[in-house]
Amino acid sequence: MDAIARETAPATARDVIAIRKLSKTYGGTGGGVTALSEIDCTVADGEFLSIVGPSGCGKSTLLKILAGLLPASGGEALLNGSPITGARKDIGVVFQSPVLFPWRSVLGNVLLPVDVQQLGRDRMTARAMDLLKLVGLDGFEHRYPWELSGGMQQRVALVRALIHDPALLLMDEPFGALDAMTREQMNVELQRIWMERRKTVVFITHSTSEAVFLGDRVMVMTPRPGRIGDLFAVDLPRPRPLDVMTTEKFGVYVRRIRKSLNAGGGLE
Amino acid sequence: MIGGPKNFALRLLLIAVFLAVWEAIVRVFEIPLFILPTPSNVFTALYRGIASSLYVDHVWITVTETLLGFVLGTSLAFMLGTVIALSRPVEYFLYPFVVMFQAMPKVALAPLIIVWFGLGLTSKVVNAALVAFFPLMVNTIVGLRSAEEDKVNLMKSLAATRTQIFWMLQLPNAMPYIFAGLEIAMIFALIGAIVAEFVGAQAGLGMLIQSMNFTMDVAGQFSVLLLLSLIGLGLNWIVIAVRRRVLFWDASQKFDADAAKKEAI
Ligand SMILES: Nc1ncnc2c1ncn2[C@@H]1O[C@H](COP(=O)(O)OP(=O)(O)O)[C@@H](O)[C@H]1O
Ligand SMILES: [Mg+2]
């Protein structure tokens, strides 16, 4: 459980993501905002990487670059060995808000990637129903988003991100808007789904305990400009039950990460 | 809580009292008929007009002009609005025309339209279309551009094409704006048709008001005005009925529906 220096993490063939000297400056040449400064990191196949950092440190920027929504200003980000130049079909993204289309039913929203990528509704509807069942939403497929609670809406968003079976799941503070209890429940569910489906996950949060609870590793980001601080490997057996949070070992991880965030001027 | 059968009865009573007071004032002060007719005069005129089928033909003509103008104006407005919303260059070059035209009171063009398109149906349809055009074009542009950034990002993250983003996100997202525009456009089309009939026509309710004005048939004019409000209400109701079906998912619409439900209780 030592902090791993970032230089000691060489890119290997099994890395789904390899980021080298990645920089992002908003506002073009001169006088722009530097959101990311020379970031290096890798994410292994099937790994669950948590990223914590205070708001404004460039977490969303990093995620948008990985999703192909934003071009980088310098350095490179590789997905399965090839540079990310634009949006890709094999990525699932979950945002902080559910971003559901109110004119589509729950099933319709889940099938949005299927419609966009023309994967065939006939073939995929059964899979959609299975996934909805997996998150406890069976029976809700013909409801509309406004009929669901915030937690249920975010579960729909999660299923939508999984429907086209992407190799990589990018999540930007997906449970940040939920109340504490719903959030913990979602954490348990996400862990279960991840253990069942073994996706590579990049999970952004500003909750230290959420990062430790879910992550194989926790990456700390520091603000102004966004840099990578320490990396922590979380050595807790899975599946982790909720009361792992009350254990001594869990507490130690959380304290170390907090300390690292404070050192970076992170926590207010 | 407002609504309920008791209050509804009160509403009817209020209307009855209003009409009675009107009738009484005209009779007591002996106001001449060509200044202000009594409600009973108005209803008699309305009855005669309908019974002699005189009004029916004119209503039919005005409604036809309005609906044709509405369809023509809103289809063109939707197409031009879409092109402008999707293409910055088109917007840039068309913008001066749009602003000039938008600032102009369109009904002031009616005399010219009559000169260009004659005294018949065509000039009324063109004028109605012209007046109905802008509310829908503006709302189409605003609506198509109102898609939230997160939703656009979601579509992009799925590698959606621009065409897909238009059909799956921008257009459905714009529907509340488009229907708000259609509601205004429908009433504007009626105004456009009537104004064109004022300026020069052989038939229609606007022409009827004009000719009644010459013969100082004020009760007749009131009865036509009453008919025009009923037509306006009817046309508006058509748009709202379609909107209810299409926009079942819209939050503001749901609010309306809930309010209507409460009122019905
Ligand atoms: N579109 C943008 N234009 C200019 N500056 C931006 C933009 N998006 C983000 N920023 C700036 O970049 C920095 C990082 O933002 P962001 O990646 O959203 O941080 P986080 O997600 O960690 O809160 C912030 O200082 C923010 O103000
Ligand atoms: Mg963010």
Side-chain angles (χ1 to χ4, degrees):
Chain A
M1 61 194 255
D2 290 317
I4 304 163
R6 54 196 123 107
E7 289 78 12
T8 62
T12 69
R14 296 203 49 246
D15 286 333
V16 172
I17 297 175
I19 295 168
R20 294 200 199 89
K21 295 204 178 308
L22 187 75
S23 299
K24 176 68 191 179
T25 304
Y26 285 109
T29 48
V33 181
T34 302
L36 295 175
S37 170
E38 306 221 329
I39 286 196
D40 287 286
C41 108
T42 59
V43 187
D45 189 18
E47 184 185 22
F48 197 117
L49 176 74
S50 299
I51 302 179
V52 263
S55 47
C57 73
K59 304 185 295 297
S60 297
T61 303
L62 176 59
L63 189 117
K64 280 183 192 152
I65 292 174
L66 292 179
L69 296 172
L70 261 185
S73 314
E76 58 177 1
L78 306 177
L79 184 66
N80 293 320
S82 52
I84 299 170
T85 49
R88 314 249 308 212
K89 296 194 172 184
D90 52 351
I91 293 180
V93 186
V94 184
F95 300 93
Q96 179 163 2
S97 61
V99 203
L100 300 178
F101 292 0
W103 53 86
R104 282 177 174 246
S105 65
V106 165
L107 186 63
N109 270 287
V110 167
L111 290 174
L112 181 72
V114 173
D115 293 344
V116 170
Q117 299 177 7
Q118 289 158 12
L119 304 173
R121 274 196 176 216
D122 297 342
R123 201 160 56 81
M124 299 299 276
T125 303
R127 180 179 156 78
M129 301 298 275
D130 282 349
L131 283 169
L132 284 170
K133 199 166 180 182
L134 186 69
V135 299
L137 282 177
D138 39 338
F140 285 90
E141 58 273 9
H142 297 303
R143 298 294 189 88
Y144 281 82
W146 73 80
E147 301 176 285
L148 307 185
S149 70
M152 291 160 101
Q153 291 186 14
Q154 200 54 289
R155 275 179 237 190
V156 176
L158 183 59
V159 171
R160 181 184 57 200
L162 293 169
I163 186 72
H164 51 309
D165 201 21
L168 174 64
L169 200 54
L170 302 172
M171 307 180 82
D172 190 356
E173 304 193 26
F175 311 136
L178 303 180
D179 62 88
M181 264 169 71
T182 313
R183 184 174 190 157
E184 288 184 346
Q185 204 186 330
M186 294 295 291
N187 284 341
V188 173
E189 270 181 40
L190 178 58
Q191 173 180 240
R192 187 165 52 81
I193 291 166
W194 174 76
M195 289 182 70
E196 226 168 274
R197 310 266 155 164
R198 283 291 158 177
K199 309 276 176 210
T200 307
V201 181
V202 175
F203 184 91
I204 289 172
T205 175
H206 55 235
S207 156
T208 324
S209 54
E210 189 174 66
V212 175
F213 179 79
L214 286 168
D216 290 325
R217 285 188 301 156
V218 177
M219 186 171 105
V220 174
M221 280 183 73
T222 61
R224 280 170 285 275
R227 282 182 200 280
I228 293 180
D230 298 317
L231 265 164
F232 300 86
V234 181
D235 180 25
L236 292 169
R238 292 193 195 259
R240 299 169 186 164
L242 269 180
D243 51 18
V244 77
M245 296 196 190
T246 60
T247 60
E248 175 61 25
K249 206 172 171 188
F250 191 91
V252 171
Y253 282 122
V254 170
R255 276 195 295 281
R256 285 187 170 217
I257 292 166
R258 286 253 162 85
K259 212 169 145 191
S260 169
L261 279 165
N262 279 329
L267 287 189
E268 45 277 13
Chain B
M1 186 64 34
I2 205 85
K6 219 174 118 190
N7 281 350
F8 188 73
L10 215 60
R11 231 191 207 180
L12 291 181
L13 187 69
L14 191 69
I15 295 171
V17 169
F18 171 76
L19 293 177
V21 170
W22 174 359
E23 184 93 31
I25 289 175
V26 175
R27 283 174 192 252
V28 169
F29 294 97
E30 292 176 355
I31 300 172
L33 256 180
F34 60 87
I35 301 289
L36 186 66
T38 66
S40 53
N41 296 142
V42 175
F43 285 118
T44 310
L46 186 65
Y47 175 76
R48 279 209 199 110
I50 293 172
S52 69
S53 91
L54 169 72
Y55 285 6
V56 180
D57 295 341
H58 291 290
V59 167
W60 173 245
I61 285 166
T62 300
V63 169
T64 307
E65 293 163 355
T66 304
L67 287 177
L68 287 177
F70 172 80
V71 171
L72 180 69
T74 54
S75 335
L76 291 175
F78 177 74
M79 287 189 269
L80 189 64
T82 303
V83 172
I84 288 179
L86 297 185
S87 160
R88 292 281 170 187
V90 171
E91 183 194 15
Y92 180 82
F93 291 111
L94 286 188
Y95 195 70
F97 297 95
V98 170
V99 170
M100 277 299 295
F101 227 63
Q102 203 178 355
M104 184 189 300
K106 260 70 67 184
V107 289
L109 288 171
L112 269 178
I113 302 283
I114 300 293
V115 171
W116 289 338
F117 294 96
L119 290 173
L121 182 79
T122 316
S123 61
K124 315 304 175 297
V125 173
V126 169
N127 204 53
L130 195 66
V131 180
F133 182 84
F134 275 87
L136 188 70
M137 191 193 71
V138 171
N139 277 32
T140 303
I141 296 173
V142 174
L144 288 176
R145 287 193 175 156
S146 70
E148 294 155 47
E149 199 194 338
D150 267 356
K151 290 191 174 128
V152 177
N153 274 341
L154 173 72
M155 289 298 283
K156 283 186 181 162
S157 80
L158 294 168
T161 62
R162 272 196 69 169
T163 320
Q164 286 177 322
I165 293 179
F166 176 77
W167 287 107
M168 293 188 196
L169 172 59
Q170 286 177 291
L171 187 58
N173 190 70
M175 288 320 270
Y177 296 84
I178 289 175
F179 269 96
L182 288 176
E183 261 182 70
I184 302 170
M186 186 61 105
I187 297 306
F188 274 32
L190 181 58
I191 295 174
I194 294 293
V195 169
E197 286 174 357
F198 281 167
V199 176
Q202 289 143 343
L205 293 175
M207 193 252 3
L208 200 58
I209 288 181
Q210 283 281 53
S211 65
M212 285 171 164
N213 207 30
F214 285 126
T215 57
M216 294 209 281
D217 178 4
V218 181
Q221 287 184 60
F222 266 81
S223 68
V224 175
L225 288 176
L226 192 61
L227 268 182
L228 279 173
S229 326
L230 291 178
I231 291 170
L233 281 174
L235 293 174
N236 190 239
W237 180 83
I238 293 173
V239 181
I240 289 176
V242 176
R243 188 189 71 175
R244 288 240 163 95
R245 291 195 71 89
V246 177
L247 287 187
F248 64 93
W249 52 267
D250 182 37
S252 56
Q253 148 94 22
K254 218 161 69 70
F255 182 78
D256 280 352
D258 288 348
K261 239 183 264 160
K262 270 183 208 130
E263 204 146 315
I265 291 164

